[in-house]
């Protein structure tokens, strides 16, 4: 019999009569965080093992989402367009004055609201996916990363519909195609990862208290108005702090600039937030991985 410590669990594989037996996992009270190297290897291994299950869950969830919908994916891109149209009308009628933008205002706000919806969907995806799988989690032991990958697939699916919106904006306003679009795609991925990272941090707390899911729409609505989505970035102090301290701003502004102008105005802020996003994603994944077994045990008690 050979054994390996799994950081809170001991796994051994027994051979009986030449036949390979199933691995035996013995759970202990030792924290997985005491052996971070083993924990990271197990996380990476489960990430690879969960790909097929994640794809099955994604197909099931997407089918269920649109099975009884008359307009289907139409609802995936209507919200940012409706939001943008409201602000375009307010601006053109001089009801509000957001100042001058360096690209046509309709383009500015349409691209901004589309990117914003990408972030909010990423933010809500982990908690939504895990909450929907509560019954499955307490009955079956499977790599929990499958739920997160499935949630990311759903966000990417909706992103595909938003790309159609962006393509229409480019065609209608005859925007020039530049190599910056490739950088814009990378910036959109970083925006997605930022939302997923924050969502992973909130998921354990959200499984304990429904207040988290209830308050998220309120918080994101407030964040919408302190992010330069429908107005240019604030330049004067102290209002400029709203833009500087908001981690969504550099990624959203960077993605919009790269997509529409092919240039990146504030590369330093974009790079710093991108690096921090990767650490945030890893930290959120670690907390999700360590906390979920404890929460599942509590749910099944």
């Amino acid at each position: 019999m050979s054994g390996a410590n799994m950081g809170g669990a001991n796994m051994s594989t027994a051979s009986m009569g030449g036949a390979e037996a199933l691995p035996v996992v013995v759970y202990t009270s030792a924290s997985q965080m005491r052996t971070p190297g083993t924990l990271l290897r197990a996380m990476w291994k489960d990430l690879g093992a969960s790909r097929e299950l994640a794809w099955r869950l994604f197909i099931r969830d997407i089918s269920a989402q649109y099975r009884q919908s008359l307009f289907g994916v139409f609802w995936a891109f209507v919200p940012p367009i409706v939001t943008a149209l409201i602000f375009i009308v307010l601006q053109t009628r001089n009801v509000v004055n957001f100042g001058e933008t360096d690209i046509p205002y309709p383009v500015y706000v349409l691209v901004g609201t589309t990117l914003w919806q990408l972030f909010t969907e990423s933010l809500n995806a982990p908690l939504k996916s895990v909450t929907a799988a509560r019954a499955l989690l307490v009955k079956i032991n499977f790599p929990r990363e499958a739920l997160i990958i499935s949630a990311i697939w759903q966000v990417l699916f909706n992103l595909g519909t938003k790309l159609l919106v962006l393509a229409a904006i480019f065609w209608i306003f005859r925007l020039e195609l530049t190599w910056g679009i490739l950088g814009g795609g990378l910036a959109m991925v970083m925006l997605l990862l930022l939302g997923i990272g924050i969502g992973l941090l909130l998921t354990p707390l959200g499984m304990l208290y429904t207040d988290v899911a209830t308050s998220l729409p309120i918080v994101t609505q407030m964040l919408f108005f302190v992010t330069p989505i429908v107005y240019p970035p604030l330049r004067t102090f102290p209002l400029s702090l709203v833009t500087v301290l908001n981690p969504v701003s550099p990624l959203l502004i960077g993605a919009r600039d790269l997509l529409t102008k092919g240039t990146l105005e504030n590369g330093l802020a974009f790079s710093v937030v991108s690096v921090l996003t990767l650490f945030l994603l890893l930290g959120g994944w670690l907390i999700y991985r360590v906390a979920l077994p404890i929460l599942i045990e509590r749910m099944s008690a």
Side-chain angles (χ1 to χ4, degrees):
M1 176 179 291
S2 61
N5 186 280
M6 294 293 290
N10 291 324
M11 186 177 72
S12 59
T13 304
S15 298
M16 298 182 65
E20 189 71 19
L22 293 173
V24 177
V25 180
V26 180
Y27 293 94
T28 72
S29 58
S31 171
Q32 298 179 70
M33 297 298 286
R34 292 184 177 180
T35 53
T38 304
L39 174 60
L40 288 173
R41 284 195 295 275
M43 289 166 60
W44 187 254
K45 182 180 177 183
D46 283 351
L47 187 67
S50 61
R51 285 178 301 178
E52 186 172 347
L53 177 59
W55 178 255
R56 298 287 180 187
L57 290 172
F58 162 69
I59 296 296
R60 182 203 64 176
D61 293 339
I62 284 293
S63 301
Q65 182 177 344
Y66 294 115
R67 186 176 298 129
Q68 293 183 313
S69 174
L70 184 61
F71 297 101
V73 295
F74 181 73
W75 297 113
F77 54 80
V78 164
I81 292 178
V82 171
T83 305
L85 288 177
I86 291 172
F87 284 98
I88 291 170
V89 170
L90 291 176
Q91 175 81 346
T92 53
R93 297 293 180 182
N94 293 321
V95 177
V96 293
N97 184 8
F98 293 121
E100 295 293 326
T101 54
D102 45 9
I103 55 176
Y105 185 73
V107 176
Y108 188 88
V109 71
L110 277 168
V111 175
T113 52
T114 302
L115 294 172
W116 174 252
Q117 195 186 19
L118 169 64
F119 170 74
T120 55
E121 286 181 355
S122 306
L123 177 66
N124 287 284
L127 179 58
K128 185 179 175 183
S129 179
V130 175
T131 301
R134 273 176 180 264
L136 197 64
L137 284 167
V138 297
K139 292 177 182 176
I140 304 173
N141 185 17
F142 63 93
R144 278 86 188 197
E145 282 76 7
L147 298 173
I148 304 305
I149 298 176
S150 171
I152 293 175
W153 274 120
Q154 291 184 53
V155 175
L156 290 174
F157 178 84
N158 291 331
L159 174 61
T161 62
K162 293 176 183 62
L163 292 179
L164 295 177
V165 175
L166 293 176
I169 294 170
F170 271 74
W171 180 71
I172 293 171
F173 292 94
R174 300 184 182 281
L175 296 181
E176 184 182 355
L177 295 177
T178 67
W179 288 106
I181 289 180
L182 299 177
L186 176 63
M188 291 173 72
V189 171
M190 295 310 300
L191 197 60
L192 183 152
L193 295 180
L194 177 64
I196 293 290
I198 299 174
L200 283 173
L201 287 175
L202 295 175
T203 295
L205 199 60
M207 293 181 70
L208 282 175
Y209 305 106
T210 56
D211 308 74
V212 175
T214 306
S215 61
L216 261 180
I218 302 172
V219 174
T220 52
Q221 191 66 30
M222 292 172 60
L223 195 58
F224 175 87
F225 288 106
V226 296
T227 305
I229 301 166
V230 297
Y231 56 84
L234 302 172
R235 306 289 185 188
T236 55
F237 184 83
L239 292 178
S240 60
L241 290 176
V242 174
T243 303
V244 173
L245 299 178
N246 180 357
V248 184
S249 298
L251 297 183
L252 191 142
I253 294 171
R256 181 167 49 197
D257 285 348
L258 287 166
L259 288 171
T260 57
K261 298 186 295 185
T263 57
L264 188 59
E265 186 176 336
N266 194 346
L268 178 61
F270 178 85
S271 302
V272 170
V273 174
S274 295
V275 172
L276 291 177
T277 294
L278 296 178
F279 281 106
L280 175 71
L281 184 66
L282 179 60
W285 185 13
L286 274 169
I287 292 174
Y288 169 83
R289 172 80 180 204
V290 173
L292 213 59
I294 302 171
L295 296 173
I296 292 171
E297 184 179 349
R298 177 170 173 163
M299 286 189 298
S300 58

